[in-house]
Amino acid sequence: MTTETHRVIRPSILYFGTPVVLLTTENADGTFNLAPISSAWALGQHIVLGLGSESQTVRNLAERPDVVINLASPDLWERVESLAPLTGADPVPESKRAVYRYEHDKFAAAGLTPRSCDLVRPPRVAECPLQLEARSIALTPGGEGRFLSVECEVVRVHADERITVPGTHHIDPSAWSPLIYNFRHYHGLAPELGHGFRSETAKAATRVG
Ligand SMILES: Cc1cc2nc3c(=O)[nH]c(=O)nc-3n(C[C@H](O)[C@H](O)[C@H](O)COP(=O)(O)O)c2cc1C
């Protein structure tokens, strides 16, 4: 019989370390909202987002499906954090009033630069090395009405040349590092441990070398 090394805890949050994305969506008046989230994961060319039901982002996506999923890099953490107490919802929903304040121009508030997209209406965040133009295709309520899972289809990918493998469509995993939200603290990636058996960049490097 092995000795028990774990104890039962009740953590207030379960943010176990996921990449930070900045979502741009279109407001009813044709202006654009910008919001940091970390509940985002990919399945093929689809991304599923976990969004609080009182966020302006969800309101926008329920009416106007265009969205840009901008992947933040570790150097942007302070600008991400400057967006943390802000919401584009006016008036600020009752449940958020103690912590959040309304901000109409979050690009200016965070010192970030909008750059127009090819296929969707909201702008990209120029400072983010990876920018995914997408459209939401399904909003599924969950968490007893507190959250929605939003499935998005990516229609175009913009990648900073410095994180791509020249002459290919691959992201270079040694050049790209996501900003990780780890139990409300920000981290970058630690050095690589190895690669998966289906890595296409590792196979290409072996062929060249
Ligand atoms: C790093 C970080 C990660 C966050 N992750 C999420 C998330 O995954 N889902 C979510 O709904 N809110 C998340 N939030 C909180 C939202 O940013 C916050 O609710 C914000 O007010 C939403 O903006 P909006 O109301 O303008 O859409 C996160 C905030 C920060 C700073």
Side-chain angles (χ1 to χ4, degrees):
M1 205 171 70
T2 58
T3 312
E4 179 58 86
T5 52
H6 294 53
R7 66 188 177 94
V8 174
I9 61 169
R10 287 186 303 277
S12 58
I13 46 140
L14 293 171
Y15 300 138
F16 48 72
T18 38
V20 175
V21 302
L22 297 175
L23 300 179
T24 46
T25 54
E26 186 177 5
N27 298 315
D29 64 2
T31 60
F32 299 104
N33 190 42
L34 175 65
I37 75 144
S38 56
S39 304
W41 43 276
L43 275 176
Q45 299 299 310
H46 290 220
I47 306 272
V48 181
L49 308 170
L51 294 174
S53 49
E54 303 235 281
S55 66
Q56 181 65 23
T57 301
V58 150
R59 287 187 200 165
N60 287 346
L61 288 176
E63 302 289 327
R64 292 163 293 280
D66 287 7
V67 56
V68 187
I69 302 162
N70 300 276
L71 276 286
S73 45
D75 57 302
L76 296 177
W77 83 265
E78 282 163 307
R79 284 192 258 186
V80 169
E81 182 58 17
S82 72
L83 291 168
L86 308 180
T87 175
D90 182 23
V92 178
E94 183 64 44
S95 63
K96 294 181 89 162
R97 245 170 242 174
V99 179
Y100 290 87
R101 63 179 191 276
Y102 169 68
E103 172 58 58
H104 187 68
D105 189 352
K106 293 206 221 165
F107 272 97
L112 294 166
T113 317
R115 184 166 291 164
S116 60
C117 277
D118 297 338
L119 304 173
V120 301
R121 291 169 59 89
R124 297 174 277 154
V125 177
E127 289 80 1
C128 289
L130 258 177
Q131 306 145 347
L132 315 179
E133 295 189 32
R135 291 197 184 93
S136 65
I137 52 175
L139 284 79
T140 310
E144 291 147 358
R146 282 173 298 140
F147 309 106
L148 286 97
S149 299
V150 179
E151 182 183 343
C152 303
E153 182 178 15
V154 174
V155 293
R156 181 151 295 184
V157 176
H158 302 263
D160 187 321
E161 281 189 40
R162 290 168 294 187
I163 64 160
T164 63
V165 179
T168 75
H169 289 273
H170 297 314
I171 300 294
D172 179 351
S174 64
W176 161 240
S177 173
L179 171 62
I180 301 293
Y181 199 44
N182 181 21
F183 288 94
R184 291 205 169 116
H185 290 237
Y186 296 95
H187 290 249
L189 282 190
E192 180 181 326
L193 301 171
H195 61 80
F197 82 108
R198 296 192 64 190
S199 165
E200 294 173 19
T201 45
K203 281 189 200 114
T206 310
R207 272 199 298 276
V208 170

